[in-house]
Amino acid sequence: MKVKIKQWNGVASWLWVANDENCGICRAPFNGCCPDCKVPGDDCPLVWGQCSHCFHMHCILKWLNSQQVQQQCPMCRQEWKFKEGDTS
Amino acid sequence: MNEVQTMPQGLSAAWDTVTSALVSPLPTNALPDEVLCDALALLGGHGLGQYVEGWLLETLQVRLTTSVAPEFWTGLKQPEGESQERDRANALLKAFRNLLQQLEPFLGGLERLGSWQDESRGGLCGPGARGLTERAFSVVRAILLFSPPPVLQERVLEFYSRTFSVHMSQAGEAVEAEEGSAEHDVGSLCPGCAALVHLCWCQEALEQLQELSHILSRLQLLERVSSEAVTSILHQLIEQRMEQRCRGEYESSFLTDFNDWLGQVLGWLSRVFASKVEEVGNDATTTDVKTGQPTNALLQRWHCHMHQFFCRIYVNMRIEELFSIIRDFPESIPAIEDLKFCLERTNQRQQLLASLKSAFETRLLHPGVHTSDIITVYISAIKALRELDPSMVILQVACQPIRKYLRTREDTVRQIVGSLTGDAEGCSDLANELSRADPVTLETQDSEDEGSDPEDWTPDPTDALTDKTGSKRRSSDIISLLVSIYGSKEIFINEYKTVLADRLLHQLNYNTVREIRNVELLKLRFGESHMHYCEVMLKDVADSRRINTNIRDEESRLPVEEQSTLLLSAMIISSEFWPQLKEEKLELPAVASKAMEDYTHRFEKLKAMRTLRWKPHLGSVTLDVELEDRTIANLTVSPIHAAIILHFQDKGTWTLEELSGVLGVPQEMVRRKLALWQQQGVLREEAGGRYTVQETSSCRERADRSVMLIDSDEEGDSNTATQSEQREEKLQLFWAYIQAMLTNLESMTLERIHSMLRMFVAAGPGVTEMDVNELQAFLQKKVRAHQLIVSTGVYRLPKTTQ
């Protein structure tokens, strides 16, 4: 007997490769989107800091804009620097 | 002194003169006027004038009791043994004729006396002609009809019925001739008098009727004698006609038809009450045929009466049939309109409500009726009743039981959503309703300000439910009514999400035109924000297609030997936005899992920092099975089926345990899935629970290979977790709370646990809907699992090893 597979339609869910479930700022799941967005994924990406914490991009930008003096990671209070080459 | 003696002589002569003049059947010719005058003057002069009147009435009374009345009754009963209707009619007429003849002298006398009184001749005074006859007729009525034997009514009824049918047959002749009624051809019976044609006495009957009417009206007995008979005839006939014409017939209106008919009936009435009508004109012409409105006050009264009666009978009949009328909507619109017209004229709304409610309960709301049928009837009821009663009160009240009942059916939401999206078979009403222009948004409906003109306000009918919602909440919009059965649209939106997920995961062909349209339509109804999740789901489908083509392109650029043997395409979903999918374990054969791994790598390259989590049990596989003597081509199966048959490719015989082990799936499940391949004739079960490939087909039944056969339990399979499973998971959430509470408080009753949970977890979703029974069931389950102990209604945790 020989089985010839012509087409395999699979189902998969995508997820961010992050070290946490939820965004530390908006508390919404990473796999969802930030409160200002409607659509997850490409439209509401994650960014990583050099401290290895990650957030919804929109959330951390909002946070950084509100910080007048020093730009710190809201989780660990280190100076916030985007991790190179990770944001697409 | 002389005078005194002579007085009585002169007086008695004068008395005789006067009295004989009064009762003599012949007019006063016998005596010259002056003699009478003198006599009267003499009587008057002696103060005896007033006694003349008394004497006359007395005499009348005595005559009536002693001879006239008994004679009348015996005359009426006379042709006792005979059954000839015609003879009975004759007897009736004769009895009345005699009566009149007997009373005529008195009537004449009364009139004469009355006229003397009017003229005050001879110093007479009294009530006058009018008053006297009035008095005399009440004497007649009192004596003759104080307790009439039933025979009178019987005879009158019979006679009137006959003349009625005679009249109707004559009036309706033109119509009947057009209809080509067969009765004429048979020829043996006259349609009017039901006698042989050559013996027809129609004309005679009509003449008799006329005479009788005259006699009765002369004696002022007409209404007293005929009303009852006429009423009962009319009632009976209307009922009969309604029964014949209208029962079970909803597709045409009967109002005008009946109005015409009532016009004809009025013609007969005008014959019956002929003498009263005379002042207006000749018998039958008193009705204006076109409008059916009689011109005479008496006939007008009868017309009103008949109309009212017609309405009542009609409403009664339709109330009985209302369920069927609703079921037949919209074909039954004419019946609804008739009913509406009549219902406004009779006070029978309560009756209608009660009857309709009980009809629903007995015919619709029992376990034998499919939910979709109940919904269909409910939709028809909404449509029909909003025609019938624009205030929607009947709709609201009568359909309360349906709504209540639907709430108890588990599949109600699914059915409604299914028909909303046009998936349910044979029920396109809701889909049409959804795509209707100018939808009622469920958002604005709740708002206080309705923006309608206060001048247009009308009070609620008295039978409206006095609930706080008021009339503005009584929507007639079908979809809002259905959605409001549960009181919240979230349930529907969630259900729709589930349905949509199912459809998308079953199709897997990225074709979403219809779904997009549905979502857009639903957005108009439920509001943009509620449908957001569905939009993301649809976007996932579109994105998946793009990613797929991307990955395919990349793959095709690879050298041939590196290309995957398996053509894999994926539906990539955003897990946060889809309903919870069933989690099942399934180990796919290497060839498939390798392909998925590759796919994941390419995806990761495409979308940085993102990866895929495959749901191996979901999806579909199209494959060909090539056997020695045959090929089963283009079979579409689920991944688990494909996995099973792929394993058989490597090894011809497997046991259930082996398969279960290699697939990571329970044996029971494997056995069920194997059924498909057995059905296809690819595998065969052998002794000892072994399954073997059947390389050569036995000559018996070759299943049609193009048709996909699937064991029955497969069809109902849904990819999303069922409602109850989701529910279970939610309750599981409480378990932690319950454990904590019981650890601290040691033991609690069911009610206590329930109220505590409500207090602590009220903020969470879904808690508010949990009732005590559900909690009890859940706790019972825990008790059975030995995680909880219950004694005398108190729950406690088991003493664990400490």
Side-chain angles (χ1 to χ4, degrees):
Chain A
M1 181 188 66
K2 209 169 166 257
V3 179
K4 215 167 95 190
I5 298 206
K6 291 182 160 169
Q7 168 86 37
W8 190 302
N9 296 307
V11 175
S13 61
W14 63 263
L15 58 154
W16 290 100
V17 186
N19 48 12
D20 203 353
E21 288 276 300
N22 299 327
C23 167
I25 296 174
C26 67
R27 307 305 299 163
F30 281 134
N31 298 329
C33 50
C34 79
D36 298 335
C37 283
K38 292 258 180 228
V39 184
D42 293 338
D43 294 348
C44 188
L46 300 194
V47 288
W48 280 258
Q50 281 182 356
C51 58
S52 87
H53 287 120
C54 68
F55 305 98
H56 286 126
M57 186 179 78
H58 301 135
C59 293
I60 190 70
L61 288 179
K62 227 197 276 178
W63 164 260
L64 294 176
N65 285 338
S66 69
Q67 301 296 298
Q68 301 297 331
V69 194
Q70 237 182 341
Q71 304 215 309
Q72 291 174 333
C73 166
M75 300 293 267
C76 61
R77 296 282 156 190
Q78 293 181 38
E79 192 190 348
W80 178 266
K81 282 196 182 118
F82 286 103
K83 203 169 171 184
E84 298 290 310
D86 266 342
T87 47
S88 49
Chain B
M1 290 300 283
N2 242 357
E3 274 188 32
V4 177
Q5 280 180 334
T6 53
M7 268 331 152
Q9 218 176 359
L11 268 182
S12 66
W15 177 262
D16 286 344
T17 319
V18 171
T19 50
S20 67
L22 282 177
V23 292
S24 77
L26 294 171
T28 47
N29 299 351
L31 279 172
D33 231 16
E34 304 90 66
V35 182
L36 256 180
C37 267
D38 290 346
L40 270 176
L42 188 59
L43 286 177
H46 286 274
L48 290 173
Q50 51 189 320
Y51 297 114
V52 176
E53 180 191 331
W55 171 84
L56 189 57
L57 289 175
E58 182 72 26
T59 323
L60 172 66
Q61 197 173 337
V62 171
R63 275 291 279 286
L64 266 174
T65 38
T66 53
S67 64
V68 177
E71 214 171 283
F72 173 72
W73 294 120
T74 47
L76 199 63
K77 284 183 198 147
Q78 210 176 19
E80 196 123 32
E82 297 181 47
S83 54
Q84 278 294 314
E85 189 187 343
R86 202 166 162 178
D87 295 334
R88 285 196 298 271
N90 275 329
L92 177 72
L93 189 63
K94 217 160 88 196
F96 274 105
R97 229 183 254 155
N98 272 337
L99 183 67
L100 182 64
Q101 214 173 357
Q102 298 267 9
L103 294 178
E104 198 69 69
F106 288 99
L107 295 179
L110 278 167
E111 254 161 52
R112 237 166 288 147
L113 180 62
S115 63
W116 295 338
Q117 283 180 347
D118 286 342
E119 295 162 20
S120 302
R121 194 185 292 187
L124 274 179
C125 62
R130 219 193 167 79
L132 267 182
T133 43
E134 222 30 49
R135 227 179 270 177
F137 285 132
S138 37
V139 170
V140 171
R141 276 200 296 272
I143 291 170
L144 198 62
L145 300 175
F146 173 62
S147 60
V151 65
L152 175 65
Q153 278 308 319
E154 279 168 27
R155 291 284 158 84
V156 171
L157 187 64
E158 186 184 47
F159 179 65
Y160 277 162
S161 313
R162 175 56 57 210
T163 56
F164 178 78
S165 62
V166 170
H167 172 81
M168 289 310 279
S169 81
Q170 286 182 348
E173 221 146 50
V175 185
E176 300 232 335
E178 276 171 37
E179 285 171 5
S181 145
E183 282 154 290
H184 283 292
D185 304 333
V186 174
S188 54
L189 288 182
C190 167
C193 55
L196 292 171
V197 173
H198 63 274
L199 292 175
C200 173
W201 52 293
C202 287
Q203 205 48 48
E204 187 188 334
L206 286 182
E207 280 160 15
Q208 282 176 339
L209 174 67
Q210 202 160 359
E211 190 183 341
L212 184 65
S213 298
H214 273 290
I215 293 173
L216 287 175
S217 71
R218 175 81 182 94
L219 293 175
Q220 298 203 353
L221 288 172
L222 186 55
E223 290 204 50
R224 190 160 272 264
V225 171
S226 345
S227 295
E228 198 182 316
V230 169
T231 313
S232 69
I233 289 172
L234 288 180
H235 286 197
Q236 193 191 338
L237 282 163
I238 292 177
E239 230 161 294
Q240 201 180 327
R241 193 177 164 87
M242 190 100 62
E243 204 59 37
Q244 283 171 356
R245 300 270 172 127
C246 310
R247 185 168 288 280
E249 189 58 54
Y250 316 129
E251 297 185 15
S252 50
S253 168
F254 292 99
L255 281 185
T256 45
D257 185 38
F258 254 91
N259 245 346
D260 293 350
W261 186 75
L262 289 184
Q264 282 183 18
V265 174
L266 273 181
W268 174 70
L269 276 178
S270 66
R271 276 179 200 249
V272 170
F273 299 110
S275 49
K276 299 234 168 180
V277 183
E278 258 167 15
E279 66 252 39
V280 182
N282 281 336
D283 307 351
T285 53
T286 42
T287 33
D288 184 346
V289 180
K290 270 185 189 153
T291 58
Q293 288 297 319
T295 44
N296 176 273
L298 180 77
L299 288 182
Q300 185 106 42
R301 216 164 58 228
W302 277 100
H303 182 260
C304 280
H305 177 82
M306 280 194 321
H307 198 259
Q308 186 66 23
F309 187 74
F310 161 76
C311 287
R312 214 166 49 238
I313 297 186
Y314 189 82
V315 171
N316 276 338
M317 189 182 70
R318 288 304 191 218
I319 282 177
E320 243 173 77
E321 298 175 316
L322 194 52
F323 185 85
S324 315
I325 294 178
I326 284 175
R327 204 189 40 209
D328 287 1
F329 198 85
E331 280 75 29
S332 59
I333 285 180
I336 296 268
E337 276 166 0
D338 284 2
L339 178 58
K340 184 183 174 192
F341 177 84
C342 293
L343 194 62
E344 281 164 3
R345 282 155 184 78
T346 64
N347 190 17
Q348 286 176 296
R349 285 169 67 107
Q350 290 304 331
Q351 193 188 334
L352 181 139
L353 276 176
S355 152
L356 183 60
K357 257 177 156 171
S358 75
F360 278 146
E361 263 151 25
T362 53
R363 294 180 66 175
L364 191 66
L365 307 180
H366 53 79
V369 186
H370 199 270
T371 309
S372 67
D373 294 337
I374 299 181
I375 295 175
T376 312
V377 171
Y378 184 37
I379 294 171
S380 300
I382 294 172
K383 289 181 181 165
L385 294 181
R386 75 181 171 197
E387 291 289 329
L388 184 63
D389 173 30
S391 75
M392 304 298 157
V393 172
I394 292 181
L395 172 66
Q396 192 193 22
V397 177
C399 293
Q400 209 61 34
I402 303 187
R403 296 167 65 85
K404 222 169 174 179
Y405 185 80
L406 279 176
R407 235 171 279 162
T408 65
R409 287 254 175 140
E410 274 185 4
D411 55 342
T412 303
V413 182
R414 188 154 281 223
Q415 288 287 349
I416 294 174
V417 170
S419 40
L420 266 181
T421 52
D423 294 340
E425 69 285 354
C427 179
S428 56
D429 283 355
L430 279 181
N432 293 339
E433 192 69 19
L434 184 64
S435 51
R436 218 174 46 156
D438 181 33
V440 183
T441 42
L442 297 168
E443 308 260 50
T444 55
Q445 204 201 332
D446 303 336
S447 69
E448 280 294 309
D449 176 39
E450 211 166 337
S452 66
D453 189 358
E455 292 291 319
D456 295 340
W457 182 83
T458 46
D460 277 349
T462 47
D463 46 0
L465 286 186
T466 51
D467 56 354
K468 53 197 176 297
T469 48
S471 64
K472 67 173 184 301
R473 277 295 286 260
R474 273 197 300 275
S475 162
S476 65
D477 180 66
I478 293 170
I479 291 178
S480 7
L481 275 172
L482 283 174
V483 168
S484 66
I485 287 179
Y486 284 88
S488 89
K489 48 190 169 183
E490 274 73 20
I491 297 178
F492 281 86
I493 292 166
N494 284 339
E495 186 62 35
Y496 178 70
K497 250 165 69 180
T498 317
V499 169
L500 178 65
D502 261 354
R503 291 184 61 91
L504 293 178
L505 291 181
H506 266 137
Q507 284 187 346
L508 297 167
N509 58 2
Y510 308 120
N511 187 3
T512 54
V513 180
R514 216 180 85 179
E515 274 66 34
I516 288 174
R517 177 173 167 275
N518 276 335
V519 168
E520 288 299 323
L521 287 171
L522 287 169
K523 248 161 62 179
L524 291 177
R525 293 267 175 180
F526 292 104
E528 194 100 15
S529 57
H530 285 97
M531 299 307 291
H532 170 212
Y533 279 40
C534 297
E535 286 199 297
V536 173
M537 286 161 72
L538 290 176
K539 186 172 180 296
D540 279 345
V541 177
D543 286 349
S544 302
R545 169 155 54 186
R546 247 201 339 271
I547 293 169
N548 250 336
T549 26
N550 234 318
I551 289 179
R552 282 274 169 73
D553 280 357
E554 208 177 311
E555 211 169 45
S556 61
R557 266 183 255 123
L558 289 173
V560 180
E561 60 270 22
E562 275 184 50
Q563 278 185 18
S564 172
T565 48
L566 194 77
L567 194 58
L568 177 67
S569 60
M571 179 74 80
I572 301 166
I573 65 174
S574 307
S575 52
E576 294 292 324
F577 292 80
W578 286 61
Q580 221 168 356
L581 300 179
K582 259 189 208 159
E583 290 297 340
E584 267 170 39
K585 272 178 73 182
L586 173 64
E587 295 289 334
L588 291 178
V591 59
S593 51
K594 173 74 173 48
M596 286 182 181
E597 246 169 68
D598 291 348
Y599 197 96
T600 310
H601 284 315
R602 299 215 163 80
F603 179 82
E604 282 168 0
K605 240 187 267 173
L606 205 65
K607 307 275 184 188
M609 294 309 285
R610 269 181 273 176
T611 186
L612 291 180
R613 187 178 290 156
W614 289 89
K615 308 207 177 291
H617 59 287
L618 295 182
S620 68
V621 182
T622 310
L623 45 71
D624 294 349
V625 179
E626 288 167 12
L627 293 158
E628 270 173 26
D629 60 343
R630 65 200 189 277
T631 304
I632 303 170
N634 284 334
L635 204 57
T636 302
V637 295
S638 73
I640 186 164
H641 289 128
I644 290 172
I645 205 68
L646 279 171
H647 283 303
F648 275 95
Q649 191 177 5
D650 304 333
K651 184 178 136 189
T653 306
W654 290 78
T655 64
L656 217 51
E657 294 91 64
E658 286 170 336
L659 273 175
S660 162
V662 75
L663 292 168
V665 169
Q667 287 189 21
E668 195 39 51
M669 172 87 114
V670 178
R671 189 206 303 279
R672 275 212 330 257
K673 300 296 175 189
L674 279 167
L676 171 78
W677 296 116
Q678 283 171 286
Q679 237 171 27
Q680 290 288 336
V682 177
L683 296 181
R684 191 177 59 226
E685 185 173 6
E686 290 176 342
R690 296 174 165 279
Y691 291 85
T692 316
V693 177
Q694 218 173 355
E695 286 289 357
T696 50
S697 78
S698 46
C699 48
R700 65 190 162 84
E701 33 84 56
R702 292 188 161 210
D704 185 3
R705 279 152 205 173
S706 62
V707 177
M708 179 169 134
L709 283 173
I710 279 187
D711 51 332
S712 55
D713 72 338
E714 196 78 359
E715 286 174 49
D717 257 8
S718 153
N719 292 329
T720 48
T722 62
Q723 295 272 349
S724 56
E725 281 167 7
Q726 289 178 3
R727 188 92 207 154
E728 192 73 2
E729 230 154 275
K730 272 185 193 160
L731 282 173
Q732 210 63 41
L733 223 148
F734 297 136
W735 179 234
Y737 286 93
I738 296 169
Q739 272 180 313
M741 283 194 292
L742 289 174
T743 316
N744 290 327
L745 300 168
E746 273 194 20
S747 62
M748 295 169 85
T749 61
L750 176 67
E751 285 73 28
R752 186 92 193 282
I753 296 177
H754 185 240
S755 60
M756 290 286 259
L757 279 179
R758 280 238 307 254
M759 200 154 43
F760 291 133
V761 212
V767 190
T768 42
E769 299 151 35
M770 181 184 63
D771 62 357
V772 183
N773 294 333
E774 209 174 340
L775 179 66
Q776 187 174 23
F778 176 71
L779 292 178
Q780 286 302 338
K781 211 178 273 176
K782 288 293 177 192
V783 170
R784 276 198 294 279
H786 303 294
Q787 290 174 291
L788 204 62
I789 293 174
V790 61
S791 61
T792 62
V794 175
Y795 292 90
R796 66 180 80 230
L797 289 172
K799 297 268 185 300
T800 43
T801 50
Q802 280 172 351

